[in-house]
Amino acid sequence: GVFIFAIQLNAKKNNYSKDIRAYIDSKNYYAPGYGNYIEFQIKFIGSSLNYVYNESGISAEVLIQMEIKNQDSIIISDAYRLSSPLFKDSITYDFYDIKRFIIEPGSYDFKIKILDLNNDKDKKPLEANKKIIIQELGNNVSISDIQIAQSASKTKTGFESSIFYKSGYEIIPYLSTFYPKEISFIPVYLEIYNTDKLENDVFAIKQTLINSETELELQELTTFSKHDTAKVVVFVREIDIKNIPTGKYMLQYSVLNKNMTELYSQSYEFDRSNDLEVNYQSNEIILDPSFKNSIKNDSLNFYLESLIPISTRSEINNILKITKQKNI
């Protein structure tokens, strides 16, 4: 699959300035008539920057330098200043920037530098390097990288100039693969390309969620949807994860033709933290008497605890709870 990365950038602490924090992620897309392009999404932690005051409020300013190299050749180089929104009453918020570059498929080295221009004491920029892979999305049926959003909503007319605008939607990116209990829904955005090359005028998208630890599919979240073919098909969904227990998961989308043959798939891995408990009612479980009689009472706890290495976290909690009760 397409390589996806997220980096946390940190500055060294000193006696005079704040500890700057920023996150960056990249997504691959395709635009007919333009070609493959990469989108860099940067989130600045507002409280980690230095601010200047004026009569209207306070603002931060950073210098961003990006460079994409193919072996020793510089393919893309960009440097620019970015000002934060104007904040009032010394209350600051996180803010974003998004940059897009048209780029040929291949393997590249990406470098970014970020400098807090209001930091008078420490002029060393934050730096990060990463290898990025651009896959060809324009020739055959394919899917963009999966974009998880903080929010995804239909945009109003005139909003097209916003950095968050994409195919009629305002997409505020979520730059983390960790989902705490407080998050109940995952908004998903992706694009499907070149389905107009299929023999039929309709195709299907299959959504699956797989527990990476057990490799079991969560059947209740498996969905199929029918779509008309086109050069670009935009797909936006909101996934309910409030009942998903703690664990590692893989969200997958597949393009299926009329014969339900998989043509292309794209996946996204994430971690879920949830205190959800599964309560089993023992009086509702009927055991085969021969199986029941084959296990000695003093072996029950040993057998149960032997399951821990292959159990999920919620199952482990249940095993420990049952063995403590010593209720045959």
Side-chain angles (χ1 to χ4, degrees), residues 9 20-24 42-44 49 62-65 112-116 123-128:
L9 305 168
I20 305 169
R21 285 185 293 140
Y23 297 84
I24 183 166
I42 311 172
K43 177 182 179 179
F44 298 93
L49 292 165
V62 294
L63 176 66
I64 302 167
Q65 294 176 293
I112 185 169
K113 293 182 181 180
I114 300 176
L115 180 67
D116 183 349
K123 286 296 183 183
K124 279 187 68 176
L126 310 182
E127 295 189 38

Side-chain angles (χ1 to χ4, degrees), residues 208-326:
T208 52
L209 187 66
I210 298 164
N211 185 315
S212 300
E213 294 163 345
T214 63
E215 297 184 354
L216 294 175
E217 187 178 314
L218 280 67
Q219 297 287 347
E220 66 274 16
L221 287 173
T222 299
T223 62
F224 293 87
S225 54
K226 192 169 77 169
H227 302 266
D228 293 329
T229 59
K231 276 190 177 298
V232 180
V233 174
V234 174
F235 182 90
V236 180
R237 286 290 182 277
E238 193 172 63
I239 304 171
D240 185 346
I241 63 167
K242 63 175 173 287
N243 293 324
I244 296 177
T246 296
K248 291 181 177 293
Y249 294 90
M250 183 175 72
L251 176 64
Q252 185 170 292
Y253 288 95
S254 303
V255 175
L256 311 175
N257 64 14
K258 197 173 182 180
N259 300 321
M260 300 302 283
T261 303
E262 184 179 299
L263 304 176
Y264 197 95
S265 68
Q266 188 67 276
S267 61
Y268 168 82
E269 294 182 338
F270 67 92
D271 291 287
R272 172 68 165 161
S273 178
N274 199 350
D275 297 335
L276 189 70
E277 280 194 15
V278 180
N279 293 313
Y280 295 103
Q281 302 297 323
S282 58
N283 59 343
E284 295 175 4
I285 299 173
I286 300 171
L287 291 177
D288 181 343
S290 60
F291 169 73
K292 192 173 177 182
N293 295 330
S294 70
I295 299 173
K296 295 178 182 178
N297 289 347
D298 57 4
S299 301
L300 272 175
N301 279 6
F302 172 76
Y303 290 154
L304 273 174
E305 290 169 351
S306 297
L307 294 172
I308 286 175
I310 61 167
S311 300
T312 64
R313 292 182 196 180
S314 58
E315 288 169 342
I316 291 169
N317 289 337
N318 278 314
I319 289 169
L320 296 175
K321 194 172 168 183
I322 291 165
T323 53
K324 279 179 186 175
Q325 288 171 352
K326 296 180 180 177

Side-chain angles (χ1 to χ4, degrees), residues 151-160 164-172 189 234-236:
S151 66
S153 55
K154 280 278 189 182
T155 55
K156 298 174 182 176
T157 306
F159 198 82
E160 292 83 358
F164 300 116
Y165 178 83
K166 191 179 288 292
S167 301
Y169 288 87
E170 180 189 16
I171 307 294
I172 310 295
Y189 174 95
V234 174
F235 182 90
V236 180

Side-chain angles (χ1 to χ4, degrees), residues 6-17:
I7 312 169
Q8 180 176 348
L9 305 168
N10 287 298
K12 291 180 180 177
K13 286 186 177 179
N14 56 55
N15 297 326
Y16 308 99
S17 65

